């Protein structure tokens, strides 16, 4: 079992839709969680990070962590074509190394 | 502030050859990391430097890979000799000391193709 599981998609939604991206993890030692966005031929760009269960909001983006069920979510409101990218969830424990999911490719259609 | 830069952006070599990848972290970032993404797989951690010292190299696949960070600035990752399974995208990331656990900034990656 992979430590971080993520549905690779692809996911296609119309502009303005609410997007829900999800990951599950198996390592109980994971303490911090983040979402990265990666455009084609670019490096991952940090979008959101959180240490605790609950919601964290930043503009149109909301990250949600449920440690009891080991579930990580990212919600994108009012999705835009510029949101089209691959979204990667990542988790870390005591060390600095991040464990990534495979990424979900999102397309927002105008 | 300039981001993490990596050179070259793409390298095509033959099996058995040597390749050296370079990473320049964001100025002032003492933490430097190497990750790799093999096609169809997730991004995987290779190693972590704090300044010039290797803090964690648990992800290095084998002794054909050698990472250095002389002077605690830029880093190189040498693959010698390269094998077909080394093909993938190699990412470098950096962060400030004490903030690495949540704010790792990634470079654009070096795409390595071994023929």
């Amino acid at each position: 079992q992979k430590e971080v599981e993520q549905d690779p998609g692809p996911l296609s939604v119309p502009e303005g839709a609410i997007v829900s991206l999800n990951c599950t993890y198996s390592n109980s030692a994971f303490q911090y969680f983040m979402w990265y966005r990666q455009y084609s031929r670019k490096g991952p760009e940090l979008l959101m990070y959180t240490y605790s269960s609950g919601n964290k909001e930043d503009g149109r983006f909301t990250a949600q962590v449920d440690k009891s069920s080991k579930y990580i979510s990212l919600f994108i409101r009012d999705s835009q074509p510029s949101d089209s990218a691959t979204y990667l969830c990542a988790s870390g424990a005591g060390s600095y190394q991040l464990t990534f999911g495979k990424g979900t490719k999102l397309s927002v259609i105008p | 502030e300039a981001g993490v830069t990596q050179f070259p952006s793409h390298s095509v070599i033959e099996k058995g050859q040597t390749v050296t990848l370079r990473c320049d972290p964001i100025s002032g970032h003492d933490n430097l990391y190497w990750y790799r993404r093999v096609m169809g797989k997730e991004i995987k951690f290779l190693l972590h430097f704090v300044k010039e010292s290797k803090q964690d190299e648990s992800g290095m696949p084998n002794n054909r890979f050698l990472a250095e960070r002389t002077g605690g600035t830029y880093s190189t990752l040498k693959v010698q000799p390269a094998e077909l399974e080394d093909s993938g995208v190699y990412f470098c990331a950096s962060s400030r000391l004490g903030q690495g656990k949540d704010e790792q900034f990634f470079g654009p990656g070096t795409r390595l193709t071994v023929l």
Side-chain angles (χ1 to χ4, degrees):
Chain A
Q1 181 187 16
K2 292 190 186 299
E3 287 194 289
V4 178
E5 296 273 6
Q6 183 175 10
D7 185 341
L11 180 63
S12 184
V13 301
E15 182 175 355
I18 296 175
V19 176
S20 173
L21 302 167
N22 308 293
C23 291
T24 58
Y25 65 94
S26 58
N27 189 342
S28 298
F30 284 153
Q31 301 169 356
Y32 49 100
F33 309 89
M34 49 272 291
W35 284 94
Y36 282 84
R37 177 176 62 194
Q38 186 177 18
Y39 292 112
S40 182
R41 303 286 175 166
K42 302 286 187 183
E45 170 196 9
L46 182 64
L47 272 180
M48 305 278 288
Y49 69 89
T50 182
Y51 288 93
S52 57
S53 281
N55 294 351
K56 182 174 182 179
E57 192 173 314
D58 184 2
R60 297 185 294 111
F61 299 90
T62 299
Q64 189 174 80
V65 176
D66 182 344
K67 287 188 176 181
S68 62
S69 58
K70 297 188 176 67
Y71 203 77
I72 313 165
S73 299
L74 178 70
F75 299 97
I76 307 174
R77 290 183 299 281
D78 187 25
S79 56
Q80 302 296 309
S82 58
D83 295 327
S84 298
T86 296
Y87 290 80
L88 303 151
C89 60
S91 300
S95 71
Y96 283 56
Q97 60 173 278
L98 298 179
T99 301
F100 283 86
K102 274 191 174 183
T104 300
K105 187 171 183 179
L106 171 69
S107 296
V108 181
I109 312 301
Chain B
E1 179 182 71
V4 176
T5 57
Q6 292 187 246
F7 183 84
S9 58
H10 194 180
S11 179
V12 181
I13 62 172
E14 302 219 337
K15 175 182 171 181
Q17 289 185 321
T18 297
V19 63
T20 301
L21 314 180
R22 173 171 169 145
C23 167
D24 285 80
I26 293 172
S27 178
H29 282 196
D30 289 325
N31 288 305
L32 187 148
Y33 316 83
W34 284 98
Y35 290 84
R36 175 174 75 169
R37 183 167 194 159
V38 172
M39 186 178 291
K41 304 282 189 180
E42 62 276 11
I43 296 173
K44 286 204 165 178
F45 169 84
L46 295 178
L47 88 160
H48 168 212
F49 283 100
V50 177
K51 297 185 180 180
E52 67 276 6
S53 300
K54 291 177 186 174
Q55 187 75 14
D56 180 359
E57 50 185 332
S58 61
M60 294 288 264
N62 51 60
N63 59 10
R64 294 185 295 102
F65 289 75
L66 175 63
E68 294 181 319
R69 193 183 182 194
T70 307
T73 53
Y74 71 91
S75 175
T76 58
L77 180 65
K78 182 192 291 189
V79 185
Q80 179 182 30
E83 298 288 345
L84 299 178
E85 64 264 26
D86 300 333
S87 295
V89 182
Y90 290 76
F91 293 105
C92 176
S94 72
S95 68
R96 293 188 184 280
L97 207 58
Q99 292 185 333
K101 292 181 182 178
D102 52 24
E103 291 190 282
Q104 294 185 23
F105 297 89
F106 281 74
T110 292
R111 185 172 297 272
L112 174 64
T113 303
V114 182
L115 302 176

